[in-house]
Amino acid sequence: MASLQESLNKFQKQQERCQTTLSSIAAKASSKATTAPRATPASTLSKSPAPAVKFSNDTERLQHINSIRKAPVGAQIKRVIDLLLETRQAFTPEQINEACYVDANANKAVFDSLRKNPKVYYDGKRFAYKSKHDLRDKSELLVLIRKFPEGIAVIDLKDAYPTVMDDLQTLKATGQIWLLSNFDSQEDIAYPNDPRVPIKVDNYLKTLFRDVELPRDMIDIEKDLQKNGMKPATNTAKRRAQAQVHGIAPKQKPKKKKHEISKRTKLTNSHLPELFQNLKSS
């Protein structure tokens, strides 16, 4: 009995040792599983291709900017003045570059020409449009016109502020000014008309006035006005001289074409043959 009991005790101890060994092996295996690095798929290990280089699709715009900056100084100045006139805002050189691609900072000739241009006001930092007459609204426009009883050219007013042409038509419609065309240049002249002084002209005087034959040449009209102590609103001689210097041909009035009846003319009054006795053969 004693030997049997001893054998059982040994067997139990062996089992305990085996269980301890198995537990330690399992513990090591689990610790390796948690610390082992994750396997990376082979596909991900392969190097991904570099993205294709994208060239600028703005080539046309860049060519346009380059053509502007290589243009003559006068063309660049006109571009800037058009911007200032259209927006009626003050721009720094950097803002001008952003708006119309004229780089005044990089082109001294452009910068100096802008600064000295009579249509541009420069305060040392910004450029703005400068009209001949500093006006803001219709009331100031009327005050200015009344200062010129001999008339003021509309061309000198048209850039004063954006709605000046509409205001001129409104003042004309309300009878506060007259807008008359220059006989020679076909330019409009604005004359003040004070409604507080209504004048009635006798029909006989109207007839005398209309019967006066005026010279055909505007220069002769201006001379007659000066002889009578009046200052003409125009200077045709000076304008024509400037036109010749710049190679501008004087405007010639188109001759009215004589409309004659020919045999090809469709006759609608064929019941009146006496009207068509002298048909021009063609």
PDB file of all heavy atoms in Angstrom, residues 1-13:
ATOM      1  N   MET A   1       0.844  -1.202   0.000  1.00  0.00           N
ATOM      2  CA  MET A   1       0.000   0.000   0.000  1.00  0.00           C
ATOM      3  C   MET A   1       0.875   1.245   0.000  1.00  0.00           C
ATOM      4  O   MET A   1       0.568   2.213  -0.654  1.00  0.00           O
ATOM      5  CB  MET A   1      -0.872   0.065   1.240  1.00  0.00           C
ATOM      6  CG  MET A   1      -2.269  -0.557   1.153  1.00  0.00           C
ATOM      7  SD  MET A   1      -3.264  -0.215  -0.223  1.00  0.00           S
ATOM      8  CE  MET A   1      -4.113   1.174   0.349  1.00  0.00           C
ATOM      9  N   ALA A   2       1.901   1.169   0.726  1.00  0.00           N
ATOM     10  CA  ALA A   2       2.798   2.325   0.846  1.00  0.00           C
ATOM     11  C   ALA A   2       3.437   2.635  -0.476  1.00  0.00           C
ATOM     12  O   ALA A   2       3.575   3.793  -0.886  1.00  0.00           O
ATOM     13  CB  ALA A   2       3.878   2.055   1.896  1.00  0.00           C
ATOM     14  N   SER A   3       3.844   1.609  -1.236  1.00  0.00           N
ATOM     15  CA  SER A   3       4.487   1.826  -2.535  1.00  0.00           C
ATOM     16  C   SER A   3       3.495   2.390  -3.546  1.00  0.00           C
ATOM     17  O   SER A   3       3.822   3.226  -4.388  1.00  0.00           O
ATOM     18  CB  SER A   3       5.075   0.513  -3.061  1.00  0.00           C
ATOM     19  OG  SER A   3       4.041  -0.456  -3.221  1.00  0.00           O
ATOM     20  N   LEU A   4       2.255   1.917  -3.444  1.00  0.00           N
ATOM     21  CA  LEU A   4       1.229   2.441  -4.338  1.00  0.00           C
ATOM     22  C   LEU A   4       0.962   3.920  -4.080  1.00  0.00           C
ATOM     23  O   LEU A   4       0.818   4.736  -5.007  1.00  0.00           O
ATOM     24  CB  LEU A   4      -0.048   1.613  -4.170  1.00  0.00           C
ATOM     25  CG  LEU A   4      -1.226   2.030  -5.059  1.00  0.00           C
ATOM     26  CD1 LEU A   4      -0.862   1.858  -6.544  1.00  0.00           C
ATOM     27  CD2 LEU A   4      -2.490   1.193  -4.756  1.00  0.00           C
ATOM     28  N   GLN A   5       0.895   4.256  -2.812  1.00  0.00           N
ATOM     29  CA  GLN A   5       0.641   5.662  -2.444  1.00  0.00           C
ATOM     30  C   GLN A   5       1.790   6.542  -2.904  1.00  0.00           C
ATOM     31  O   GLN A   5       1.600   7.667  -3.406  1.00  0.00           O
ATOM     32  CB  GLN A   5       0.473   5.803  -0.930  1.00  0.00           C
ATOM     33  CG  GLN A   5       0.077   7.180  -0.460  1.00  0.00           C
ATOM     34  CD  GLN A   5      -1.312   7.592  -0.941  1.00  0.00           C
ATOM     35  OE1 GLN A   5      -2.224   6.720  -0.975  1.00  0.00           O
ATOM     36  NE2 GLN A   5      -1.464   8.861  -1.327  1.00  0.00           N
ATOM     37  N   GLU A   6       2.977   6.001  -2.807  1.00  0.00           N
ATOM     38  CA  GLU A   6       4.160   6.762  -3.227  1.00  0.00           C
ATOM     39  C   GLU A   6       4.148   7.002  -4.731  1.00  0.00           C
ATOM     40  O   GLU A   6       4.492   8.071  -5.226  1.00  0.00           O
ATOM     41  CB  GLU A   6       5.419   5.986  -2.812  1.00  0.00           C
ATOM     42  CG  GLU A   6       6.705   6.767  -3.030  1.00  0.00           C
ATOM     43  CD  GLU A   6       7.917   5.950  -2.558  1.00  0.00           C
ATOM     44  OE1 GLU A   6       7.758   4.900  -1.897  1.00  0.00           O
ATOM     45  OE2 GLU A   6       9.030   6.423  -2.853  1.00  0.00           O
ATOM     46  N   SER A   7       3.720   5.987  -5.493  1.00  0.00           N
ATOM     47  CA  SER A   7       3.642   6.112  -6.954  1.00  0.00           C
ATOM     48  C   SER A   7       2.619   7.160  -7.351  1.00  0.00           C
ATOM     49  O   SER A   7       2.819   7.957  -8.292  1.00  0.00           O
ATOM     50  CB  SER A   7       3.269   4.747  -7.569  1.00  0.00           C
ATOM     51  OG  SER A   7       4.270   3.784  -7.288  1.00  0.00           O
ATOM     52  N   LEU A   8       1.485   7.188  -6.644  1.00  0.00           N
ATOM     53  CA  LEU A   8       0.437   8.182  -6.934  1.00  0.00           C
ATOM     54  C   LEU A   8       0.948   9.602  -6.677  1.00  0.00           C
ATOM     55  O   LEU A   8       0.666  10.545  -7.445  1.00  0.00           O
ATOM     56  CB  LEU A   8      -0.802   7.907  -6.081  1.00  0.00           C
ATOM     57  CG  LEU A   8      -1.653   6.695  -6.535  1.00  0.00           C
ATOM     58  CD1 LEU A   8      -2.754   6.419  -5.519  1.00  0.00           C
ATOM     59  CD2 LEU A   8      -2.283   6.946  -7.893  1.00  0.00           C
ATOM     60  N   ASN A   9       1.682   9.738  -5.625  1.00  0.00           N
ATOM     61  CA  ASN A   9       2.215  11.084  -5.306  1.00  0.00           C
ATOM     62  C   ASN A   9       3.182  11.577  -6.381  1.00  0.00           C
ATOM     63  O   ASN A   9       3.170  12.745  -6.799  1.00  0.00           O
ATOM     64  CB  ASN A   9       2.916  11.056  -3.955  1.00  0.00           C
ATOM     65  CG  ASN A   9       1.930  10.863  -2.811  1.00  0.00           C
ATOM     66  OD1 ASN A   9       0.735  11.186  -2.958  1.00  0.00           O
ATOM     67  ND2 ASN A   9       2.394  10.348  -1.680  1.00  0.00           N
ATOM     68  N   LYS A  10       4.031  10.679  -6.858  1.00  0.00           N
ATOM     69  CA  LYS A  10       4.961  11.034  -7.917  1.00  0.00           C
ATOM     70  C   LYS A  10       4.224  11.454  -9.187  1.00  0.00           C
ATOM     71  O   LYS A  10       4.588  12.408  -9.907  1.00  0.00           O
ATOM     72  CB  LYS A  10       5.906   9.853  -8.208  1.00  0.00           C
ATOM     73  CG  LYS A  10       6.973   9.634  -7.142  1.00  0.00           C
ATOM     74  CD  LYS A  10       7.858   8.457  -7.541  1.00  0.00           C
ATOM     75  CE  LYS A  10       8.940   8.235  -6.480  1.00  0.00           C
ATOM     76  NZ  LYS A  10       9.814   7.077  -6.830  1.00  0.00           N
ATOM     77  N   PHE A  11       3.169  10.656  -9.519  1.00  0.00           N
ATOM     78  CA  PHE A  11       2.400  10.926 -10.719  1.00  0.00           C
ATOM     79  C   PHE A  11       1.743  12.308 -10.629  1.00  0.00           C
ATOM     80  O   PHE A  11       1.716  13.083 -11.620  1.00  0.00           O
ATOM     81  CB  PHE A  11       1.359   9.812 -10.888  1.00  0.00           C
ATOM     82  CG  PHE A  11       0.486  10.010 -12.104  1.00  0.00           C
ATOM     83  CD1 PHE A  11       0.980   9.797 -13.389  1.00  0.00           C
ATOM     84  CD2 PHE A  11      -0.842  10.406 -11.959  1.00  0.00           C
ATOM     85  CE1 PHE A  11       0.164   9.977 -14.478  1.00  0.00           C
ATOM     86  CE2 PHE A  11      -1.637  10.570 -13.058  1.00  0.00           C
ATOM     87  CZ  PHE A  11      -1.164  10.363 -14.327  1.00  0.00           C
ATOM     88  N   GLN A  12       1.213  12.641  -9.487  1.00  0.00           N
ATOM     89  CA  GLN A  12       0.563  13.938  -9.293  1.00  0.00           C
ATOM     90  C   GLN A  12       1.579  15.082  -9.446  1.00  0.00           C
ATOM     91  O   GLN A  12       1.300  16.127 -10.069  1.00  0.00           O
ATOM     92  CB  GLN A  12      -0.097  14.012  -7.915  1.00  0.00           C
ATOM     93  CG  GLN A  12      -1.374  13.200  -7.839  1.00  0.00           C
ATOM     94  CD  GLN A  12      -2.011  13.252  -6.441  1.00  0.00           C
ATOM     95  OE1 GLN A  12      -1.403  13.785  -5.480  1.00  0.00           O
ATOM     96  NE2 GLN A  12      -3.193  12.684  -6.311  1.00  0.00           N
ATOM     97  N   LYS A  13       2.783  14.875  -8.887  1.00  0.00           N
ATOM     98  CA  LYS A  13       3.818  15.898  -8.996  1.00  0.00           C
ATOM     99  C   LYS A  13       4.235  16.113 -10.455  1.00  0.00           C
ATOM    100  O   LYS A  13       4.475  17.222 -10.919  1.00  0.00           O
ATOM    101  CB  LYS A  13       5.031  15.530  -8.147  1.00  0.00           C
ATOM    102  CG  LYS A  13       4.783  15.666  -6.637  1.00  0.00           C
ATOM    103  CD  LYS A  13       6.014  15.272  -5.848  1.00  0.00           C
ATOM    104  CE  LYS A  13       5.729  15.429  -4.355  1.00  0.00           C
ATOM    105  NZ  LYS A  13       6.879  14.995  -3.521  1.00  0.00           N
TER     106      LYS A  13
END
